[in-house]
């Protein structure tokens, strides 16, 4: 056997291995490994970039990259193979790839939540079982008799066929979760069902693995089988009784918001190696041991997040593509002969498709969604690659059969995943064909608002808008509070409905309260200080990726039949000046605006110092804390609110909301209508609808003695005049300005093409202008977009507009008082 040198120190004199002395640094393993890693990562990343528009998952590009580099293409050239992928480099490459894969499997276990299968109800369990059993039955039928007799490199035929049938029937969570994450479907209904079903089949696969180990041991002797069982039981007991309590202790000792001590992280990384070694000794495979260990460690922050940060970048970003590429390097497509093996894999694909579809339709899942789910459940990935490598390592199959299995799996995934992504549209569920807007709300109906908050800085502004919305027992407000938390340290998103705590004695800050507790308590405190039945608060938390968080927002809005989704602007005005942007929130806002099932408001809260709508919220004694926790006492609510009316459905929505605010005894409201000068033509039909809306508001204000609302008109001929009026609002002392988002029918703005220079075009021309840091004004801004699902707003604007107002009704309750972190100034 040739000597394998890891690294030779370059010499400045004499014979050496650098290129200037006629040598080759690639004759040593370390430089060779570096070149191989760079080449593999470069090729796979380029392929992923090219295939991503086709919705191809990363696993396809990484395996195809290995196939391109391997004997199927580039390594058919002997010079390239001897230079870059010589036989002496394979042991090093395999060792590094397998070592990193063990940590990848451990991280998958850490991010898995076994309770997901139970939490998602019976759908996931039934679908997982039906897909597994039918696929297993069909592959078993296709493998019976002299099946695969033409495969000359298959040995231990019964063992291989059994293991192959089980492998093809299972859909692993480790395979499905990254695919759904890449397609931004983790938070969708279909994504949740798919992950629950895959978790069910993972449990079956683990039982099959244990049974296989015990059976192999029993073939040696019954005593050996008993020792094997006791060895596996000892591993499970060590993980559950020793490692898990230590993990829980580490979490308990880590203060909220603080990182886990590096010593603990190193300890768990070392335990992975020890458990992997023990698993190999007892014959269960180091990957299974790493997975069991990961499952015992609680997912999410702080420990799960810390382990993910240490492992993710290097191992998942570099070593995992290396393992996939090694699979491709061992695959030769020119030596594949298509025969009975491919028929068995087609039977497995059809069995999984039919089993999942049948159970999905039985559970009343829509047909297209059932087809998409069955295609997703046919995905193949890391688990199948590990299994096929296990077949080769244990000499159950040879290179020809291995190549056929790999290519069939890649082709299966490359066809199933894009087709499933094309058929499934999560926004279909949010298509509401009833008016869910503030404008079309009946006078005696409760206003249901879904308020999304990211952290404590959003509490103050949300409470201010809630107070300005004038909740009374006759016109109540139902607030659904959704905290948006970015997922970290776990794979599956989590949706948490919090228990209602309306007892005043139980509401208040606790010594160990978290940010979430303080946010919820602030809203419960506000609810307690309103007349009975005026405000009801139901808090929720979603922990999910920003890329799919909008699914959770829209799903909750549909379930609760809300009329308004309240979002916060992604840029925060700082006390020291300037703005801080949270780009993840902008992703959420843009996607919610695209598919929202009701009206949406984006709130730009200028609450720095003593300005903006939130200025009425007061901190008047020392019981408040710097964290933003509020004490509910102080001055009454006073606010001056203006609605900018250019015309169109969005402005009519803003008009309806400011009309409601005008009923608040502490509010002073105004509607500023912008009319084009005589030289500019507009659409007469649009103008008639807008005129009717304005006249009805005037009539309502005249009839009601409890409304403080004025309407004024401004003639404008260009954007300069509009900007001049907007800047004048500051001098008028307004706290809140409400404006519609879209003004596609307004002739002055459409003639100027202002959207070309917008920082945030999703807010519209005027909304983007008011939210910009360059437009330095003290008032807060609410930018509203009226519901347009089902093509409702695509027709002539206002064609279905019906105004709902009352003629005064009972006298409003006395002024409410509320305080939270904020300014001591109060608006008159």
């Amino acid at each position: 056997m040739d000597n394998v040198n890891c690294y030779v120190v370059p010499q400045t004199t004499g014979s050496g291995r650098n290129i200037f002395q006629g040598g080759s640094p690639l004759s040593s393993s370390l430089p060779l490994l570096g070149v191989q890693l760079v080449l593999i990562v470069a090729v796979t990343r380029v392929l992923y970039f090219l295939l991503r528009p086709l919705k191809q998952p990363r696993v396809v590009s990484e395996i195809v990259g290995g196939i391109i580099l391997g004997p199927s293409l580039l390594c058919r050239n002997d010079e390239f193979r001897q230079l870059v992928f010589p036989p002496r480099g394979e042991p090093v490459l395999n060792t590094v790839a397998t070592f990193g894969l063990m940590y990848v499997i451990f991280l998958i276990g850490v991010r898995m939540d076994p309770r997901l299968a139970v939490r998602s109800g019976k759908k996931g369990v039934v679908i997982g079982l039906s897909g597994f059993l039918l696929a297993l039955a069909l592959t078993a039928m296709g493998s019976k008799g002299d099946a695969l007799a033409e495969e000359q490199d298959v040995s231990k035929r019964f063992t291989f066929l059994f293991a192959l049938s089980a492998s093809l029937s299972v859909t692993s969570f480790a395979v499905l979760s990254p695919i759904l994450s890449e397609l931004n479907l983790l938070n969708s209904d279909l994504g949740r069902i798919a992950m629950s079903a895959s978790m069910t089949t993972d449990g079956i696969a683990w039982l099959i693995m244990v049974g296989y180990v015990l059976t192999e041991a029993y073939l040696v002797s019954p005593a050996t089988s008993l020792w094997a069982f006791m060895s596996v039981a000892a591993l499970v007991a060590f993980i559950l009784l020793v490692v898990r309590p230590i993990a829980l202790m580490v979490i308990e000792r880590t203060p909220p918001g603080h990182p886990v001590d590096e010593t603990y992280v190193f300890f768990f990384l070392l335990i992975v190696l020890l458990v992997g070694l023990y698993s190999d000794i007892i014959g269960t495979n180091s990957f299974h041991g790493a997975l069991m260990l990961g499952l015992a460690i609680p997912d999410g922050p702080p420990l799960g997040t810390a382990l993910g940060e240490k492992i993710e970048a290097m191992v998942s970003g570099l070593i995992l593509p290396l393992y996939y590429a090694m699979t491709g390097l061992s695959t030769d497509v020119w030596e594949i002969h298509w025969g009975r093996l491919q028929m068995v894999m087609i039977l497995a694909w059809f069995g999984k498709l039919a089993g999942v579809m049948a159970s999905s339709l039985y559970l009343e899942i829509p047909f297209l969604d059932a087809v998409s789910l069955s295609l997703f459940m046919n995905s193949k990935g890391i688990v199948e690659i590990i299994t096929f490598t296990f077949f080769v390592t244990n000499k159950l199959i040879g290179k020809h059969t291995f190549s056929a299995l790999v290519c069939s799996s890649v082709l299966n995934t490359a066809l199933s995943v894009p087709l499933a992504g094309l058929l499934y549209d999560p926004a279909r569920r949010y298509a509401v064909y009833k008016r869910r807007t503030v404008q079309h709300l009946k006078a005696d109906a409760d206003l249901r608002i879904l308020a999304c908050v990211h952290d404590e800085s959003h509490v103050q502004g949300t409470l201010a808008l809630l107070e300005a919305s004038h909740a009374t027992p006759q016109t109540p407000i139902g607030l659904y509070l959704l905290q948006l938390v970015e997922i970290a340290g776990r794979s599956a998103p989590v949706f948490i409905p919090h228990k209602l705590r309306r007892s005043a004695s139980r509401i208040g800050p606790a010594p160990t309260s978290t940010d979430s507790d303080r946010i919820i308590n602030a809203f419960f405190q506000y609810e307690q200080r309103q007349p009975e039945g005026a405000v009801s608060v139901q808090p929720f938390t979603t922990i999910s990726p920003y890329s799919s968080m909008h699914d959770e927002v829209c799903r909750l809005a549909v379930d609760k039949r809300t009329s308004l989704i309240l979002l916060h602007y992604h840029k925060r005005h700082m006390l020291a000046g300037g703005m801080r942007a949270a780009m993840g929130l902008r992703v959420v806002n843009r996607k919610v605006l695209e598919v929202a099932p009701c009206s949406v408001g984006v709130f730009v809260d200028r609450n720095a110092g003593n300005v903006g709508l939130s200025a009425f919220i007061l901190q008047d004694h020392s019981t408040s804390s710097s964290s933003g926790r509020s004490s509910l006492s102080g001055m009454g609510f006073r606010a001056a609110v203006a609605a900018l009316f250019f015309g169109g459905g969005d402005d009519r929505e803003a008009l309806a909301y400011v009309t409601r605010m005008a009923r608040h005894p502490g509010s002073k409201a105004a509607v500023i209508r912008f009319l084009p000068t005589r030289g500019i033509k507009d659409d007469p039909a649009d103008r008639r609808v807008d005129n009717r809306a304005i006249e009805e508001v005037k009539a309502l204000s005249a009839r009601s003695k409890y409304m403080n609302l004025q309407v004024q008109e401004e003639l404008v001929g260009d954007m300069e005049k509009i900007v001049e009026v907007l800047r004048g609002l500051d001098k008028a002392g307004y706290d809140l300005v409400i404006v519609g988002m879209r003004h596609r029918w307004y002739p002055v703005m459409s003639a100027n093409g202002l959207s070309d220079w917008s920082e945030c075009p999703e807010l519209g021309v005027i909304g983007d202008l008011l939210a910009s840091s360059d437009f330095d004004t003290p008032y807060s801004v609410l930018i509203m977009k009226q519901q347009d699902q089902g093509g409702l707003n695509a027709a002539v604007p206002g064609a279905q507009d019906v105004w709902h107002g009352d003629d005064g009704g009972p006298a409003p309750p006395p002024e409410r008082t509320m305080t939270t972190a904020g300014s001591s100034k109060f608006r008159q």
Side-chain angles (χ1 to χ4, degrees):
M1 179 179 179
D2 297 335
N3 292 329
V4 178
N5 295 318
C6 178
Y7 187 65
V8 177
V9 178
Q11 300 177 9
T12 57
T13 61
S15 61
R17 299 198 177 191
N18 60 65
I19 59 174
F20 304 108
Q21 298 170 333
S24 173
L26 297 184
S27 59
S28 298
S29 296
L30 183 59
L32 179 63
L33 178 63
V35 171
Q36 292 171 338
L37 283 174
V38 170
L39 185 60
I40 288 171
V41 172
V43 171
T44 55
R45 287 303 173 94
V46 169
L47 278 175
Y48 180 64
F49 175 78
L50 296 176
L51 297 177
R52 190 174 183 180
L54 303 178
K55 295 184 180 295
Q56 292 295 339
R58 187 183 297 271
V59 60
V60 171
S61 62
E62 290 172 345
I63 296 178
V64 171
I67 292 175
I68 291 174
L69 293 172
S72 302
L73 193 60
L74 294 182
C75 277
R76 295 187 71 83
N77 185 297
D78 290 336
E79 293 182 0
F80 177 84
R81 182 172 59 85
Q82 290 297 330
L83 179 64
V84 183
F85 294 103
R88 58 182 172 80
E90 289 185 8
V92 177
L93 206 57
N94 276 315
T95 301
V96 173
T98 307
F99 173 81
L101 182 63
M102 184 169 58
Y103 278 101
V104 172
I105 299 298
F106 167 71
L107 186 58
I108 290 173
V110 170
R111 292 177 170 176
M112 286 176 65
D113 184 3
R115 297 170 296 180
L116 179 65
V118 179
R119 194 187 308 135
S120 299
K122 68 176 183 179
K123 283 187 178 181
V125 176
V126 171
I127 291 173
L129 283 175
S130 60
F132 173 82
L133 293 176
L134 186 55
L136 183 65
L138 290 183
T139 52
M141 291 175 57
S143 304
K144 68 179 181 179
D146 295 330
L148 306 183
E150 70 274 12
E151 303 292 343
Q152 300 299 323
D153 57 351
V154 174
S155 61
K156 298 183 180 180
R157 197 171 303 276
F158 175 79
T159 303
F160 166 68
L161 292 177
F162 172 77
L164 178 64
S165 300
S167 173
L168 297 178
S169 305
V170 169
T171 302
S172 177
F173 179 91
V175 173
L176 202 54
S177 176
I179 291 176
L180 293 174
S181 179
E182 290 179 40
L183 297 176
N184 299 325
L185 295 177
L186 281 178
N187 280 71
S188 64
D189 292 339
L190 182 140
R192 293 178 182 275
I193 295 173
M195 286 188 291
S196 175
S198 65
M199 197 79 73
T200 301
T201 61
D202 274 333
I204 298 173
W206 198 86
L207 294 176
I208 292 175
M209 183 274 299
V210 174
Y212 173 78
V213 172
L214 298 179
T215 302
E216 288 288 309
Y218 184 81
L219 294 177
V220 178
S221 69
T224 305
S225 178
L226 179 61
W227 278 109
F229 175 79
M230 293 178 62
S231 300
V232 174
L235 176 61
V236 175
F238 171 75
I239 291 174
L240 294 180
L241 302 180
V242 178
V243 177
R244 183 169 176 81
I246 294 176
L248 296 175
M249 180 196 69
V250 170
I251 294 174
E252 185 177 354
R253 289 187 177 184
T254 303
H258 289 71
V260 177
D261 190 275
E262 293 285 341
T263 304
Y264 296 132
V265 176
F266 175 77
F267 168 78
F268 286 105
L269 295 179
L270 185 63
I271 290 294
V272 176
L273 297 177
L274 296 177
V275 170
L277 174 63
Y278 179 81
S279 301
D280 281 331
I281 292 174
I282 65 176
T284 60
N285 192 307
S286 59
F287 299 144
H288 292 115
L291 180 63
M292 286 189 288
L293 180 63
L295 288 171
I297 296 178
D299 60 342
L303 184 56
T305 303
L307 291 170
E309 291 174 351
K310 297 297 181 184
I311 297 174
E312 183 73 30
M314 177 61 71
V315 176
S316 298
L318 186 64
I319 305 300
L320 185 58
L322 176 61
Y323 186 83
Y324 284 133
M326 285 299 301
T327 302
L329 289 170
S330 302
T331 302
D332 190 350
V333 298
W334 305 108
E335 296 187 7
I336 298 175
H337 63 273
W338 303 92
R340 187 68 176 270
L341 178 62
Q342 283 72 31
M343 181 59 67
V344 171
M345 298 194 72
I346 292 174
L347 286 174
W349 181 87
F350 179 77
K352 181 66 66 70
L353 185 78
V356 172
M357 277 195 63
S359 56
S360 298
L361 295 175
Y362 173 78
L363 294 170
E364 299 182 348
I365 295 176
F367 177 76
L368 286 179
D369 292 358
V371 175
S372 299
L373 179 59
S374 61
L375 291 171
F376 277 127
M377 294 295 289
N378 267 299
S379 304
K380 306 298 178 185
I382 186 172
V383 173
E384 287 73 26
I385 297 303
I386 293 174
T387 303
F388 300 157
T389 305
F390 171 81
F391 292 160
V392 175
T393 304
N394 288 272
K395 299 181 180 180
L396 297 179
I397 60 175
K399 291 292 185 179
H400 301 314
T401 304
F402 176 81
S403 298
L405 290 173
V406 170
C407 290
S408 299
S409 298
V410 172
L411 185 62
N412 181 0
T413 306
L415 295 176
S416 298
V417 172
L419 183 58
L422 183 66
L423 293 176
Y424 180 66
D425 180 12
R428 276 199 302 264
R429 188 173 185 269
Y430 315 138
V432 178
Y433 295 94
K434 292 183 179 180
R435 283 289 190 179
R436 292 186 181 174
T437 68
V438 178
Q439 176 185 344
H440 299 88
L441 199 65
K442 294 182 179 179
D444 57 347
D446 59 330
L447 174 60
R448 299 187 180 187
I449 300 176
L450 172 57
C452 302
V453 298
H454 183 253
D455 53 34
E456 292 182 78
S457 67
H458 291 165
V459 173
Q460 184 174 336
T462 306
L463 287 174
L465 271 179
L466 187 63
E467 176 64 25
S469 301
H470 187 44
T472 68
Q474 292 75 32
T475 56
I477 290 180
L479 181 70
Y480 302 95
L481 179 68
L482 181 62
Q483 297 182 62
L484 309 178
V485 181
E486 185 181 14
I487 195 169
R490 49 169 60 97
S491 294
V494 179
F495 181 76
I496 306 171
H498 296 278
K499 295 181 179 179
L500 300 182
R501 298 174 291 174
R502 290 198 166 86
S503 174
S505 61
R506 298 182 60 191
I507 296 177
T512 58
S513 62
T514 63
D515 292 347
S516 176
D517 294 332
R518 289 191 288 270
I519 291 173
I520 294 173
N521 283 338
F523 286 90
F524 278 147
Q525 287 173 4
Y526 177 74
E527 178 189 10
Q528 288 291 314
R529 283 154 179 81
Q530 301 301 307
E532 184 177 357
V535 176
S536 63
V537 177
Q538 294 187 32
F540 304 87
T541 297
T542 177
I543 305 174
S544 54
Y546 284 131
S547 58
S548 59
M549 196 175 283
H550 66 285
D551 283 322
E552 205 68 81
V553 176
C554 296
R555 184 181 66 83
L556 188 60
V558 170
D559 292 343
K560 302 303 180 182
R561 299 191 300 277
T562 60
S563 298
L564 178 64
I565 297 174
L566 180 60
L567 306 171
H568 280 262
Y569 187 46
H570 68 280
K571 294 182 180 180
R572 182 187 307 173
H573 292 259
M574 309 303 295
L575 284 170
M579 305 180 78
R580 177 181 297 174
M583 300 312 296
L585 288 184
R586 186 183 184 186
V587 172
V588 178
N589 291 354
R590 296 181 71 168
K591 292 190 175 183
V592 170
L593 288 170
E594 289 176 6
V595 298
C598 62
S599 296
V600 182
V602 179
F603 186 46
V604 183
D605 187 13
R606 290 190 171 94
N607 61 353
N610 59 358
V611 298
L613 178 66
S614 304
F616 83 93
I617 301 176
L618 217 354
Q619 186 118 5
D620 58 349
H621 54 76
S622 59
T623 58
S624 63
S625 70
S626 61
S627 64
R629 206 161 49 242
S630 62
S631 62
L632 295 181
S633 63
M635 306 291 290
F637 175 81
R638 293 288 188 275
V641 184
L644 309 182
F645 191 87
F646 296 90
D650 292 353
D651 277 356
R652 289 191 289 272
E653 187 75 359
L655 182 63
Y657 200 19
V658 82
T659 303
R660 181 185 178 102
M661 291 182 176
R663 298 190 182 100
H664 196 292
S667 292
K668 182 173 63 176
V671 177
I672 303 173
R673 185 180 186 186
F674 292 81
L675 294 173
T677 56
R678 293 184 181 275
I680 300 177
K681 295 183 179 180
D682 60 355
D683 191 332
D686 297 338
R687 188 170 64 251
R688 283 194 296 269
V689 176
D690 294 335
N691 289 340
R692 186 173 71 245
I694 291 291
E695 292 302 321
E696 291 188 7
V697 169
K698 289 181 179 179
L700 183 61
S701 177
R703 291 195 305 267
S704 175
K705 62 181 178 179
Y706 304 115
M707 289 184 64
N708 185 2
L709 187 145
Q710 297 178 348
V711 179
Q712 66 184 72
E713 295 180 347
E714 295 283 349
L715 289 177
V716 293
D718 52 31
M719 276 301 300
E720 291 184 5
K721 179 61 176 177
I722 294 177
V723 172
E724 180 183 341
V725 175
L726 297 182
R727 292 195 180 278
L729 299 177
D730 183 11
K731 299 177 181 179
Y734 287 108
D735 303 286
L736 175 66
V737 172
I738 306 178
V739 65
M741 188 171 295
R742 298 164 296 184
H743 302 102
R744 58 175 71 106
W745 301 285
Y746 194 67
V748 175
M749 280 179 273
S750 62
N752 284 271
L754 297 172
S755 58
D756 295 339
W757 54 262
S758 295
E759 294 180 10
C760 300
E762 67 271 17
L763 300 181
V765 174
I766 300 299
D768 177 70
L769 177 65
L770 295 175
S772 172
S773 58
D774 297 331
F775 198 80
D776 188 16
T777 56
Y779 49 78
S780 298
V781 182
L782 180 63
I783 307 158
M784 301 201 68
K785 174 180 178 291
Q786 194 175 57
Q787 171 208 16
D788 58 0
Q789 290 293 306
L792 291 175
N793 277 356
V796 176
Q800 303 181 40
D801 288 353
V802 178
W803 278 81
H804 300 282
D806 54 45
D807 294 328
E815 295 180 1
R816 303 307 305 168
T817 61
M818 58 181 283
T819 62
T820 186
S823 156
S824 61
K825 181 177 178 181
F826 133 129
R827 300 271 169 167
Q828 296 294 336

